Short mmCIF file of all heavy atoms in Angstrom, two decimals:
data_model
loop_
_atom_site.label_atom_id
_atom_site.label_comp_id
_atom_site.label_asym_id
_atom_site.label_seq_id
_atom_site.Cartn_x
_atom_site.Cartn_y
_atom_site.Cartn_z
N ARG A 1 -17.40 -18.98 -3.10
CA ARG A 1 -16.89 -17.84 -2.27
C ARG A 1 -17.99 -17.49 -1.28
O ARG A 1 -19.06 -17.00 -1.69
CB ARG A 1 -16.55 -16.72 -3.11
CG ARG A 1 -15.93 -15.45 -2.39
CD ARG A 1 -15.64 -14.43 -3.47
NE ARG A 1 -15.19 -13.13 -2.89
CZ ARG A 1 -13.96 -12.86 -2.63
NH1 ARG A 1 -12.96 -13.69 -2.97
NH2 ARG A 1 -13.60 -11.69 -2.13
N LEU A 2 -17.73 -17.71 0.00
CA LEU A 2 -18.66 -17.34 1.05
C LEU A 2 -18.25 -15.99 1.63
O LEU A 2 -17.13 -15.68 1.85
CB LEU A 2 -18.68 -18.38 2.17
CG LEU A 2 -18.97 -19.83 1.80
CD1 LEU A 2 -18.99 -20.66 3.08
CD2 LEU A 2 -20.26 -19.97 1.03
N SER A 3 -19.28 -15.15 1.84
CA SER A 3 -19.10 -13.88 2.50
C SER A 3 -19.90 -13.76 3.78
O SER A 3 -20.99 -14.32 3.87
CB SER A 3 -19.47 -12.74 1.53
OG SER A 3 -18.62 -12.67 0.46
N CYS A 4 -19.44 -13.02 4.74
CA CYS A 4 -20.13 -12.78 5.96
C CYS A 4 -20.06 -11.24 6.24
O CYS A 4 -19.00 -10.68 6.38
CB CYS A 4 -19.56 -13.59 7.12
SG CYS A 4 -20.20 -13.18 8.75
N ALA A 5 -21.23 -10.69 6.32
CA ALA A 5 -21.31 -9.21 6.62
C ALA A 5 -21.75 -9.00 8.02
O ALA A 5 -22.73 -9.54 8.45
CB ALA A 5 -22.29 -8.53 5.63
N ALA A 6 -20.90 -8.30 8.78
CA ALA A 6 -21.14 -8.14 10.19
C ALA A 6 -21.66 -6.69 10.49
O ALA A 6 -21.21 -5.78 9.83
CB ALA A 6 -19.90 -8.42 11.03
N SER A 7 -22.57 -6.61 11.43
CA SER A 7 -23.05 -5.33 11.92
C SER A 7 -23.31 -5.40 13.43
O SER A 7 -23.57 -6.49 13.94
CB SER A 7 -24.30 -4.83 11.12
OG SER A 7 -25.34 -5.78 11.33
N GLY A 8 -23.26 -4.26 14.06
CA GLY A 8 -23.55 -4.22 15.51
C GLY A 8 -22.38 -4.58 16.43
O GLY A 8 -22.48 -4.69 17.59
N ILE A 9 -21.21 -4.81 15.81
CA ILE A 9 -19.96 -5.14 16.59
C ILE A 9 -18.84 -4.18 16.08
O ILE A 9 -18.85 -3.67 14.98
CB ILE A 9 -19.53 -6.61 16.43
CG1 ILE A 9 -19.24 -6.97 15.02
CG2 ILE A 9 -20.58 -7.53 17.08
CD1 ILE A 9 -18.67 -8.37 14.87
N THR A 10 -17.84 -4.04 16.96
CA THR A 10 -16.61 -3.38 16.53
C THR A 10 -15.77 -4.44 15.83
O THR A 10 -14.97 -5.17 16.41
CB THR A 10 -15.88 -2.82 17.78
OG1 THR A 10 -16.75 -2.07 18.55
CG2 THR A 10 -14.70 -2.01 17.35
N PHE A 11 -16.00 -4.54 14.53
CA PHE A 11 -15.54 -5.67 13.73
C PHE A 11 -14.05 -5.89 13.92
O PHE A 11 -13.62 -7.06 14.06
CB PHE A 11 -15.87 -5.42 12.25
CG PHE A 11 -15.51 -6.55 11.34
CD1 PHE A 11 -16.35 -7.67 11.25
CD2 PHE A 11 -14.34 -6.49 10.57
CE1 PHE A 11 -16.00 -8.73 10.39
CE2 PHE A 11 -14.03 -7.52 9.73
CZ PHE A 11 -14.86 -8.63 9.61
N GLY A 12 -13.27 -4.87 13.86
CA GLY A 12 -11.82 -5.04 13.84
C GLY A 12 -11.26 -5.66 15.13
O GLY A 12 -10.16 -6.15 15.18
N SER A 13 -12.06 -5.63 16.17
CA SER A 13 -11.59 -6.18 17.49
C SER A 13 -11.94 -7.65 17.66
O SER A 13 -11.62 -8.27 18.66
CB SER A 13 -12.14 -5.39 18.65
OG SER A 13 -13.56 -5.57 18.72
N TYR A 14 -12.63 -8.27 16.72
CA TYR A 14 -13.06 -9.67 16.78
C TYR A 14 -12.23 -10.59 15.89
O TYR A 14 -11.85 -10.20 14.75
CB TYR A 14 -14.53 -9.78 16.34
CG TYR A 14 -15.53 -9.32 17.35
CD1 TYR A 14 -15.70 -7.99 17.64
CD2 TYR A 14 -16.27 -10.31 18.06
CE1 TYR A 14 -16.65 -7.64 18.61
CE2 TYR A 14 -17.19 -9.89 19.05
CZ TYR A 14 -17.34 -8.57 19.31
OH TYR A 14 -18.25 -8.20 20.25
N ALA A 15 -11.97 -11.76 16.44
CA ALA A 15 -11.52 -12.84 15.63
C ALA A 15 -12.74 -13.32 14.86
O ALA A 15 -13.81 -13.49 15.41
CB ALA A 15 -10.84 -13.96 16.45
N MET A 16 -12.52 -13.64 13.57
CA MET A 16 -13.66 -14.09 12.70
C MET A 16 -13.33 -15.51 12.27
O MET A 16 -12.21 -15.84 11.94
CB MET A 16 -13.87 -13.16 11.50
CG MET A 16 -14.21 -11.76 11.86
SD MET A 16 -15.72 -11.61 12.82
CE MET A 16 -16.86 -12.23 11.67
N GLY A 17 -14.34 -16.31 12.21
CA GLY A 17 -14.14 -17.69 11.77
C GLY A 17 -15.28 -18.22 10.94
O GLY A 17 -16.38 -17.67 10.95
N TRP A 18 -14.97 -19.27 10.25
CA TRP A 18 -15.98 -20.10 9.52
C TRP A 18 -15.97 -21.49 10.11
O TRP A 18 -14.90 -22.06 10.26
CB TRP A 18 -15.67 -20.15 8.00
CG TRP A 18 -15.93 -18.92 7.29
CD1 TRP A 18 -15.06 -17.86 7.03
CD2 TRP A 18 -17.20 -18.45 6.77
NE1 TRP A 18 -15.67 -16.87 6.33
CE2 TRP A 18 -17.02 -17.19 6.16
CE3 TRP A 18 -18.49 -19.04 6.74
CZ2 TRP A 18 -18.02 -16.45 5.57
CZ3 TRP A 18 -19.49 -18.31 6.14
CH2 TRP A 18 -19.30 -17.07 5.53
N TYR A 19 -17.15 -21.97 10.44
CA TYR A 19 -17.32 -23.30 10.93
C TYR A 19 -18.28 -24.04 10.00
O TYR A 19 -19.00 -23.34 9.21
CB TYR A 19 -17.95 -23.28 12.35
CG TYR A 19 -16.99 -22.80 13.40
CD1 TYR A 19 -16.63 -21.44 13.48
CD2 TYR A 19 -16.47 -23.67 14.35
CE1 TYR A 19 -15.75 -20.99 14.47
CE2 TYR A 19 -15.63 -23.25 15.37
CZ TYR A 19 -15.22 -21.91 15.45
OH TYR A 19 -14.38 -21.48 16.38
N ARG A 20 -18.31 -25.33 10.11
CA ARG A 20 -19.31 -26.08 9.30
C ARG A 20 -19.87 -27.23 10.07
O ARG A 20 -19.22 -27.75 11.02
CB ARG A 20 -18.68 -26.57 8.00
CG ARG A 20 -17.59 -27.60 8.12
CD ARG A 20 -16.91 -27.88 6.75
NE ARG A 20 -15.87 -28.88 6.88
CZ ARG A 20 -15.06 -29.20 5.90
NH1 ARG A 20 -15.17 -28.61 4.68
NH2 ARG A 20 -14.13 -30.14 6.06
N GLN A 21 -21.05 -27.65 9.73
CA GLN A 21 -21.70 -28.77 10.37
C GLN A 21 -22.37 -29.63 9.30
O GLN A 21 -23.34 -29.12 8.64
CB GLN A 21 -22.72 -28.30 11.44
CG GLN A 21 -23.24 -29.44 12.26
CD GLN A 21 -23.97 -28.95 13.50
OE1 GLN A 21 -24.41 -27.78 13.59
NE2 GLN A 21 -24.09 -29.85 14.49
N ALA A 22 -21.93 -30.85 9.15
CA ALA A 22 -22.54 -31.74 8.25
C ALA A 22 -23.59 -32.55 9.03
O ALA A 22 -23.55 -32.68 10.26
CB ALA A 22 -21.45 -32.75 7.69
N PRO A 23 -24.54 -33.19 8.31
CA PRO A 23 -25.61 -33.95 8.97
C PRO A 23 -25.03 -35.05 9.85
O PRO A 23 -24.14 -35.81 9.43
CB PRO A 23 -26.39 -34.55 7.80
CG PRO A 23 -26.21 -33.55 6.67
CD PRO A 23 -24.78 -33.04 6.86
N GLY A 24 -25.51 -35.09 11.07
CA GLY A 24 -25.05 -36.15 12.01
C GLY A 24 -23.63 -35.95 12.62
O GLY A 24 -23.15 -36.82 13.34
N LYS A 25 -23.05 -34.71 12.31
CA LYS A 25 -21.71 -34.51 12.82
C LYS A 25 -21.73 -33.26 13.67
O LYS A 25 -22.64 -32.45 13.56
CB LYS A 25 -20.71 -34.37 11.71
CG LYS A 25 -20.51 -35.65 10.88
CD LYS A 25 -19.37 -35.51 9.84
CE LYS A 25 -19.13 -36.82 9.12
NZ LYS A 25 -18.02 -36.66 8.18
N GLU A 26 -20.68 -33.09 14.45
CA GLU A 26 -20.58 -31.87 15.24
C GLU A 26 -20.02 -30.74 14.42
O GLU A 26 -19.39 -30.89 13.39
CB GLU A 26 -19.58 -32.11 16.41
CG GLU A 26 -20.10 -33.14 17.41
CD GLU A 26 -19.16 -33.26 18.68
OE1 GLU A 26 -18.07 -32.65 18.64
OE2 GLU A 26 -19.54 -33.96 19.63
N ARG A 27 -20.32 -29.50 14.91
CA ARG A 27 -19.83 -28.37 14.22
C ARG A 27 -18.29 -28.29 14.41
O ARG A 27 -17.78 -28.59 15.46
CB ARG A 27 -20.43 -27.07 14.81
CG ARG A 27 -20.15 -25.80 14.02
CD ARG A 27 -20.98 -24.65 14.61
NE ARG A 27 -22.43 -24.87 14.41
CZ ARG A 27 -23.31 -23.94 14.69
NH1 ARG A 27 -23.00 -22.68 15.03
NH2 ARG A 27 -24.63 -24.18 14.56
N GLU A 28 -17.60 -27.99 13.32
CA GLU A 28 -16.14 -27.97 13.38
C GLU A 28 -15.61 -26.65 12.82
O GLU A 28 -16.22 -26.11 11.86
CB GLU A 28 -15.55 -29.11 12.60
CG GLU A 28 -15.86 -29.17 11.13
CD GLU A 28 -15.16 -30.29 10.41
OE1 GLU A 28 -14.44 -31.11 11.00
OE2 GLU A 28 -15.35 -30.38 9.16
N LEU A 29 -14.43 -26.27 13.24
CA LEU A 29 -13.73 -25.09 12.73
C LEU A 29 -13.21 -25.41 11.37
O LEU A 29 -12.55 -26.40 11.14
CB LEU A 29 -12.60 -24.67 13.66
CG LEU A 29 -11.73 -23.50 13.15
CD1 LEU A 29 -12.49 -22.21 13.17
CD2 LEU A 29 -10.51 -23.41 14.04
N VAL A 30 -13.45 -24.47 10.40
CA VAL A 30 -12.86 -24.64 9.07
C VAL A 30 -11.65 -23.69 8.97
O VAL A 30 -10.61 -24.09 8.53
CB VAL A 30 -13.93 -24.23 8.01
CG1 VAL A 30 -13.36 -24.17 6.62
CG2 VAL A 30 -15.12 -25.20 8.08
N ALA A 31 -11.90 -22.39 9.29
CA ALA A 31 -10.83 -21.38 9.16
C ALA A 31 -11.08 -20.27 10.13
O ALA A 31 -12.25 -19.95 10.41
CB ALA A 31 -10.69 -20.91 7.75
N ARG A 32 -10.04 -19.65 10.52
CA ARG A 32 -10.19 -18.54 11.51
C ARG A 32 -9.14 -17.45 11.15
O ARG A 32 -8.02 -17.79 10.74
CB ARG A 32 -9.96 -19.07 12.91
CG ARG A 32 -10.10 -18.01 14.05
CD ARG A 32 -9.82 -18.71 15.36
NE ARG A 32 -9.89 -17.82 16.49
CZ ARG A 32 -8.87 -17.11 16.95
NH1 ARG A 32 -7.71 -17.13 16.30
NH2 ARG A 32 -9.03 -16.28 17.95
N ILE A 33 -9.51 -16.20 11.36
CA ILE A 33 -8.55 -15.10 11.17
C ILE A 33 -8.67 -14.17 12.37
O ILE A 33 -9.77 -13.73 12.77
CB ILE A 33 -8.87 -14.36 9.86
CG1 ILE A 33 -7.78 -13.28 9.56
CG2 ILE A 33 -10.27 -13.81 9.74
CD1 ILE A 33 -7.79 -12.76 8.17
N SER A 34 -7.55 -13.90 12.99
CA SER A 34 -7.55 -13.10 14.15
C SER A 34 -7.78 -11.59 13.85
O SER A 34 -7.76 -11.25 12.67
CB SER A 34 -6.19 -13.25 14.91
OG SER A 34 -5.13 -12.59 14.17
N SER A 35 -7.92 -10.79 14.90
CA SER A 35 -8.03 -9.36 14.65
C SER A 35 -6.82 -8.82 14.01
O SER A 35 -6.89 -7.78 13.34
CB SER A 35 -8.36 -8.68 15.96
OG SER A 35 -7.41 -8.92 16.92
N GLY A 36 -5.67 -9.43 14.25
CA GLY A 36 -4.42 -8.95 13.61
C GLY A 36 -4.12 -9.50 12.31
O GLY A 36 -3.15 -9.20 11.68
N GLY A 37 -5.01 -10.50 11.81
CA GLY A 37 -4.80 -11.01 10.48
C GLY A 37 -4.15 -12.39 10.42
O GLY A 37 -3.97 -12.94 9.35
N SER A 38 -3.82 -12.94 11.58
CA SER A 38 -3.24 -14.31 11.61
C SER A 38 -4.37 -15.33 11.23
O SER A 38 -5.47 -15.20 11.72
CB SER A 38 -2.66 -14.62 12.96
OG SER A 38 -1.57 -13.74 13.26
N THR A 39 -3.96 -16.34 10.48
CA THR A 39 -4.97 -17.34 10.06
C THR A 39 -4.61 -18.72 10.52
O THR A 39 -3.41 -19.06 10.70
CB THR A 39 -5.13 -17.35 8.54
OG1 THR A 39 -3.81 -17.64 7.94
CG2 THR A 39 -5.58 -16.00 8.02
N ASN A 40 -5.59 -19.53 10.68
CA ASN A 40 -5.38 -20.99 10.86
C ASN A 40 -6.51 -21.73 10.17
O ASN A 40 -7.64 -21.18 10.10
CB ASN A 40 -5.21 -21.34 12.33
CG ASN A 40 -6.35 -21.03 13.21
OD1 ASN A 40 -6.59 -19.94 13.54
ND2 ASN A 40 -7.20 -22.05 13.58
N TYR A 41 -6.18 -22.95 9.75
CA TYR A 41 -7.14 -23.80 9.02
C TYR A 41 -7.23 -25.17 9.56
O TYR A 41 -6.22 -25.71 10.08
CB TYR A 41 -6.68 -23.83 7.54
CG TYR A 41 -6.61 -22.47 6.84
CD1 TYR A 41 -5.48 -21.71 6.88
CD2 TYR A 41 -7.70 -22.05 6.10
CE1 TYR A 41 -5.45 -20.44 6.26
CE2 TYR A 41 -7.71 -20.81 5.47
CZ TYR A 41 -6.56 -20.05 5.48
OH TYR A 41 -6.53 -18.84 4.87
N ALA A 42 -8.33 -25.80 9.32
CA ALA A 42 -8.48 -27.20 9.55
C ALA A 42 -7.55 -27.91 8.58
O ALA A 42 -7.38 -27.51 7.41
CB ALA A 42 -9.90 -27.70 9.39
#
């Protein structure tokens, strides 16, 4: 279970996402949640 604690932003107005980067590969989107709660996944 990964957690991300944000500070210094108006959190509710941001889309939040998790990305990952494996060695030798480009960073890719894993999952995203909009400010309204909509989600999308790789």
Side-chain angles (χ1 to χ4, degrees):
R1 182 181 174 90
L2 303 184
S3 293
C4 173
S7 60
I9 59 172
T10 307
F11 183 79
S13 69
Y14 280 75
M16 300 299 298
W18 286 95
Y19 290 71
R20 67 187 180 188
Q21 188 167 19
K25 295 187 177 181
E26 293 187 352
R27 191 172 297 189
E28 63 175 358
L29 174 69
V30 175
R32 181 181 179 274
I33 184 167
S34 72
S35 57
S38 299
T39 59
N40 61 284
Y41 298 89

